[in-house]
Amino acid sequence: MSEPMTHSEGAGEPTRRDFLYITTGATAAVGAAAFAWPFIDQMRPDASTLAVSTIEVNVASVEPGMSLTVKWRGKPVFIRNRTPEEIEESKAVAIADLKDPLARNANLDATAEATDVARSAGEGKENWLVQIGVCTHLGCIPLGQAGDFGGWFCPCHGSHYDTSGRIRKGPAPENLPVPTFAFTSDTVIQIG
């Protein structure tokens, strides 16, 4: 024979047992959130990382033919003020002669061709070249104003880049990447 129902069970009102279940569940949820928060919080970028996600570089003292290397996101970035001769030499190269026909410029569409203008700071600022200075073969740091094409040369495995940072000879599969950047004034470049 079954036990008779109490008044509160029959009427659908909460019992003490229901209250204990709800209280225990809420306490467990708060405890789990308090336990998990340090693990979730540690996944956010450190303040020092956020501080270097964007940098500004004053290039007023970089004369034509000179280069400057800065550190951005833990990688070297080559900034070069090219001479008119270097620009003309780079413009004369046909896209069909390039090992990698894509510009690899984060400021342009991913399918943009590796023309000299597409690899530079753009119309009116073709003399400025900004690129991440890491060889696309195995991540070495190329030497500037070196190699068969007067641009960059990676002595580790023999990759030669031209004065636009395009791979021309050697095992590297891609052109040196161009990061997101913009001129905030005539002499200041913001990278990132």
Side-chain angles (χ1 to χ4, degrees):
M1 189 157 193
S2 66
E3 295 203 14
M5 281 200 265
T6 64
H7 177 67
S8 63
E9 289 174 341
E13 295 176 17
T15 64
R16 180 182 170 132
R17 179 173 287 170
D18 294 335
F19 173 75
L20 289 174
Y21 282 144
I22 292 170
T23 305
T24 304
T27 303
V30 169
F35 178 77
W37 177 250
F39 298 107
I40 295 168
D41 188 49
Q42 64 92 24
M43 290 184 222
R44 292 185 321 166
D46 183 55
S48 63
T49 302
L50 292 174
V52 296
S53 64
T54 301
I55 62 169
E56 287 191 349
V57 182
N58 188 335
V59 294
S61 63
V62 182
E63 298 292 326
M66 292 177 58
S67 292
L68 173 68
T69 302
V70 296
K71 190 173 182 181
W72 175 66
R73 294 185 179 175
K75 297 177 184 171
V77 173
F78 300 149
I79 300 172
R80 179 150 177 86
N81 187 354
R82 301 182 301 166
T83 64
E85 295 79 25
E86 289 173 328
I87 295 168
E88 291 307 314
E89 183 179 305
S90 183
K91 283 182 177 180
V93 176
I95 298 295
D97 294 342
L98 298 175
K99 196 172 177 183
D100 180 11
L102 298 176
R104 309 281 175 200
N105 187 336
N107 302 292
L108 302 175
D109 183 74
T111 60
E113 289 187 331
T115 63
D116 180 68
V117 173
R119 298 279 306 155
S120 70
E123 293 290 333
K125 293 200 178 287
E126 294 96 343
N127 58 312
W128 291 104
L129 192 67
V130 178
Q131 57 195 356
I132 298 173
V134 177
C135 181
T136 59
H137 177 233
L138 291 176
C140 305
I141 310 299
L143 304 173
Q145 292 76 45
D148 292 352
F149 302 94
W152 288 266
F153 172 66
C154 184
C156 301
H157 302 98
S159 294
H160 297 259
Y161 298 89
D162 66 12
T163 57
S164 286
R166 301 175 294 194
I167 184 63
R168 300 290 299 280
K169 180 179 170 185
E174 297 178 352
N175 300 325
L176 293 174
V178 177
T180 302
F181 75 94
F183 274 86
T184 57
S185 75
D186 286 341
T187 59
V188 177
I189 300 174
Q190 180 178 333
I191 302 171

